[in-house]
Amino acid sequence: MNSLRPTPPQERWMAVAARLRIPLDHPWMPTRMGGWTASSLMARCAFFVLGAVAGGLTVGVFNLLHIGDGFLPAGLTMLIAAEWLILRKRLFHSGVEEVLWAGGLLAVVVAVVEATGDSGVRSTLLVALALAIAGFRLLNPLFTTLAAVAASLAIDFAGGHRLIGEPDVAVTASVFCYATGVIALLAGRFEFRRPSHDRMLSWLAVIMPLGGFLWLVSEHSLAIRIFTGLAGTAFGVAALIIGVRRRAHALLIACLVCFGCAAFQLRDLTALSIKVKLILWGSAALLLALGLNRYLRTPRRGITSRQLGEGSSAALDLVQLASAAALSPKPSPAAPQFKGGGGTFSGGGADGSY
Amino acid sequence: MNSLESECLELSAAAVIDEAASARAVAQERGAIFSVFEELRFVLYAAVAAITTGLGLVLKYNLDRIGPVTLIAALALIAAGCYATALRTRFKGKTRSLGGDYVLLLGALIASADLGYAESQFHWLGSEWQWHLLMLAVFHAATAYALDSRLVLCASLAALAGWFGIEGHIAALFEANGSAGALGAHAVICSVTILVCRAANHRLGGSAQFDSVFENFAANVGFWGALGLCLNPGTRLAGIAILCALAAACVAKALSSNEEVFAVYGAAYGSLTLCCLEVQVIRPLLLGALLALATIIVGAMLLWNIHRRLKAPP
């Protein structure tokens, strides 16, 4: 039995349990999952945050103890804690062990960089390497994607640029991002035994084209704007076609992201003001979505706009509610009439004073 | 690509899942049926966000050119159009689609912006301008109940939070001007008000889905309020008491209703707030940091134990 992480069949059973919402205590599951336990998306996010805070505090504690600058001992402690959680408690994709492992390795990298005084290129490459190692050790798509993003940063540093938005052109870094996205898109056609490998490619296909766009978004030369607009459109169309064929949600999201980038690059096509463009683009997207929603109510070639199964996850539902509330107009005092200090317990107190 | 079809078939053969679930799962794995519901939801949200942002900018910068009365009338007309589509579906006895939900939300948001703009132009409420937020909250709540919309209920609760003075002011909790305590008190009162609304909804046989919206809002607003009280020296003890009560209530709710999100609220908000407090108050700093670290570990262990007890799917 592979005790370092779940075997591919064990990971597949965990994915099935998540997809079909089979409770963990179902007698069918524990033996097939080999004793490994994972968290739901919501708990994983909470554990990730708690683990990140714990990691930060560990660095702080070692720093206050004056053991070096705290990074090396804290990093090693976090790595040991993460491995203990994985090997002894058999946690997989639970959030806390992931953030401790990646955070620990990054803390070690920071200590090494501080000790050696490495250049931007070398330190960024080290960060990319650390994230890649963490990603493959934990089979975590977030870390592998961040590793690719850090690699693009190292490429830009190697070209002599220091900050995003500086006048120099970061074409090489952008091309690297687009190329990584294309490779992920094409590699997705192979069938993987591990669901996590599939997810790694999905994340790369969504994030890397966006990274490629962001590297050049501040450039105003026509050639670059045409390049990013065309690259975004081409990637979006390819992702749409392949996503529909493979029935892959991630590629459809990649398509939406790329079309958003292309729409942004078309901002100067007309002399319309930003508010009019927002209303026009928003209305166009609304009408398109309403039309698609109606058209796909009856499944077309198996594609439907109806919700399947037991509905979306609790996490997505919460995100929907929170985002609806976030859109509500924020209260602001009417300038000419507003008098500070008007807030009382009975009157709302929007000014926050009493 | 990744297909879990063989596992689904094995589960079906072992009668772990029923035939309908099995057929659906296998069809999804084979790609015979594929839902773009979430993608459409994302596009609809982005569209509504773009339109409302654009309208907000129109209201902000085009006063002189268009004139307030024309703007207010135009926005009211658009909002009425959005409400009309929902009313039409209701009168036909049909279930509103996902698109219909977001058109209704757009109508509610335009109505909010319109009323706010009208108040800022005509000062109907004078120095008590905040009361228009309460009116909006009541109006949206009535619409939410009439048209059975959770999204509009969210707009109503956001307006209510605005009336209490907490909407959009979370960052103020961490400002050093002493406003955290006042903001925290308002947030706690807002949370209690939402809980009263939830009790009324439950008692009067309102939608169970609305109960969940009320509870989630009350928990989040309440915890932010407790954090605000904890960060202010004068209200610290009250803040700790409220924090403990809220965390206990959330954990109890999670265990009784099998809703993991409340366990997350109780453990994560509780431990993070205590952590902030310990680092801020306890000296020497090393002791504070050690205690904070211990608190986070206890919080994570508590969450893990509840997670195991709820036996939620991974």
Side-chain angles (χ1 to χ4, degrees):
Chain A
M1 188 176 70
N2 182 1
S3 60
L4 288 177
R5 60 186 181 188
T7 59
Q10 287 167 349
E11 195 192 327
R12 290 168 68 81
W13 278 112
M14 291 168 95
V16 168
R19 203 168 293 181
L20 299 177
R21 313 227 171 136
I22 300 171
L24 288 176
D25 61 336
H26 194 286
W28 187 263
M29 299 314 296
T31 48
R32 277 160 185 78
M33 299 199 318
W36 291 95
T37 46
S39 306
S40 62
L41 176 63
M42 210 174 311
R44 189 178 178 185
C45 294
F47 281 126
F48 196 94
V49 172
L50 290 174
V53 175
L57 285 167
T58 309
V59 173
V61 166
F62 278 107
N63 187 275
L64 289 168
L65 286 169
H66 304 294
I67 304 176
D69 52 9
F71 282 106
L72 188 61
L76 293 174
T77 309
M78 284 154 71
L79 278 170
I80 292 166
E83 280 298 337
W84 181 78
L85 287 170
I86 296 169
L87 301 177
R88 297 296 294 272
K89 297 289 170 186
R90 300 184 81 71
L91 298 193
F92 178 69
H93 286 179
S94 288
V96 66
E97 88 286 5
E98 296 172 297
V99 73
L100 285 178
W101 216 99
L105 204 54
L106 285 175
V108 172
V109 166
V110 171
V112 169
V113 168
E114 281 197 350
T116 57
D118 271 341
S119 66
V121 183
R122 215 176 284 175
S123 55
T124 320
L125 273 177
L126 274 176
V127 169
L129 186 66
L131 286 167
I133 293 170
F136 286 110
R137 167 71 185 95
L138 304 160
L139 297 170
N140 182 309
L142 172 67
F143 298 145
T144 46
T145 308
L146 286 177
V149 171
S152 78
L153 196 65
I155 289 170
D156 190 56
F157 275 137
H161 312 304
R162 288 292 173 267
L163 290 169
I164 296 170
E166 277 187 352
D168 294 324
V169 180
V171 174
T172 324
S174 175
V175 169
F176 168 79
C177 289
Y178 278 117
T180 313
V182 170
I183 291 168
L185 194 67
L186 297 176
R189 68 189 287 267
F190 298 108
E191 188 156 346
F192 296 97
R193 289 285 294 155
R194 283 191 185 275
S196 50
H197 287 159
D198 204 40
R199 253 175 256 137
M200 283 179 189
L201 291 177
S202 298
W203 276 63
L204 285 173
V206 174
I207 302 294
M208 294 315 284
L210 179 65
F213 172 77
L214 289 177
W215 271 117
L216 297 176
V217 72
S218 60
E219 301 299 331
H220 296 289
S221 80
L222 189 64
I224 285 180
R225 287 186 61 177
I226 290 174
F227 164 72
T228 47
L230 284 179
T233 310
F235 195 95
V237 170
L240 178 65
I241 295 168
I242 298 172
V244 168
R245 269 196 204 154
R246 288 189 201 147
R247 308 296 202 232
H249 291 288
L251 298 188
L252 297 186
I253 294 169
C255 161
L256 294 175
V257 169
C258 287
F259 283 170
C261 295
F264 183 77
Q265 289 300 50
L266 291 175
R267 64 190 182 278
D268 293 335
L269 206 62
T270 66
L272 293 172
S273 61
I274 179 76
K275 49 190 176 282
V276 177
K277 280 179 200 160
L278 277 171
I279 294 171
L280 287 179
W281 277 117
S283 305
L286 185 70
L287 290 175
L288 181 71
L290 288 174
L292 265 177
N293 184 36
R294 199 181 175 83
Y295 178 71
L296 294 174
R297 218 171 285 167
T298 311
R300 316 269 172 172
R301 295 184 181 185
I303 300 173
T304 179
S305 60
R306 289 182 190 278
Q307 205 170 11
L308 297 177
E310 288 130 32
S312 52
S313 72
L316 280 180
D317 257 3
L318 273 183
V319 169
Q320 184 194 21
L321 297 179
S323 49
L327 280 181
S328 295
K330 303 284 174 289
S332 57
Q337 288 280 310
F338 179 67
K339 291 173 190 165
T344 61
F345 270 86
S346 60
D351 54 28
S353 60
Y354 297 90
Chain B
M1 275 163 61
N2 188 258
S3 171
L4 300 169
E5 188 184 336
S6 56
E7 282 81 3
C8 293
L9 289 171
E10 208 176 324
L11 283 173
S12 173
V16 177
I17 51 174
D18 60 35
E19 265 185 39
S22 161
R24 201 168 46 224
V26 170
Q28 279 179 265
E29 291 301 328
R30 285 181 184 161
I33 188 83
F34 178 69
S35 171
V36 290
F37 180 86
E38 297 299 347
E39 286 84 354
L40 281 175
R41 185 149 80 166
F42 175 73
V43 175
L44 285 165
Y45 176 78
V48 170
I51 294 171
T52 47
T53 308
L55 285 175
L57 291 174
V58 169
L59 290 178
K60 201 170 176 185
Y61 297 115
N62 276 25
L63 306 182
D64 301 334
R65 270 199 311 150
I66 303 174
V69 178
T70 317
L71 260 178
I72 291 166
L75 288 180
L77 206 64
I78 299 169
C82 295
Y83 282 112
T85 59
L87 283 170
R88 191 165 147 261
T89 313
R90 178 100 178 149
F91 290 139
K92 279 186 173 177
K94 292 181 182 170
T95 310
R96 206 172 43 249
S97 66
L98 173 71
D101 270 346
Y102 274 90
V103 170
L104 179 58
L105 175 67
L106 178 65
L109 294 174
I110 292 174
S112 293
D114 200 19
L115 185 62
Y117 176 66
E119 166 53 30
S120 73
Q121 290 304 301
F122 301 114
H123 313 298
W124 291 319
L125 301 172
S127 61
E128 301 298 323
W129 60 271
Q130 305 96 331
W131 282 83
H132 86 272
L133 293 166
L134 187 62
M135 290 178 197
L136 267 178
V138 172
F139 172 71
H140 287 327
T143 320
Y145 274 91
L147 298 170
D148 192 24
S149 168
R150 289 195 317 159
L151 295 180
V152 178
L153 185 64
C154 290
S156 166
L157 294 177
L160 183 70
W163 183 68
F164 275 103
I166 52 174
E167 172 72 7
H169 292 93
I170 295 299
L173 286 175
F174 300 98
E175 287 171 5
N177 58 7
S179 65
L183 214 52
H186 275 194
V188 170
I189 296 167
C190 179
S191 172
V192 172
T193 309
I194 295 171
L195 281 177
V196 170
C197 296
R198 186 250 176 230
N201 178 64
H202 194 69
R203 182 68 62 89
L204 300 172
S207 163
Q209 284 195 326
F210 283 10
D211 274 353
S212 156
V213 177
F214 284 125
E215 287 161 359
N216 278 294
F217 263 86
N220 280 294
V221 173
F223 274 115
W224 281 106
L227 174 64
L229 292 174
C230 285
L231 293 181
N232 188 43
T235 53
R236 196 161 279 152
L237 281 178
I240 294 171
I242 290 170
L243 178 74
C244 293
L246 261 176
C250 280
V251 169
K253 163 85 183 154
L255 291 173
S256 63
S257 63
N258 212 31
E259 286 181 76
E260 194 179 32
V261 65
F262 288 97
V264 170
Y265 291 153
Y269 272 125
S271 55
L272 289 173
T273 306
L274 282 178
C275 180
C276 285
L277 191 64
E278 285 156 355
V279 171
Q280 194 187 39
V281 174
I282 296 174
R283 292 292 174 272
L285 192 57
L286 177 62
L287 183 62
L290 280 170
L291 268 175
L293 184 57
T295 306
I296 292 291
I297 292 169
V298 169
M301 284 167 63
L302 173 72
L303 181 56
W304 183 252
N305 280 325
I306 300 169
H307 175 71
R308 293 297 293 263
R309 198 182 289 191
L310 295 178
K311 297 181 179 70

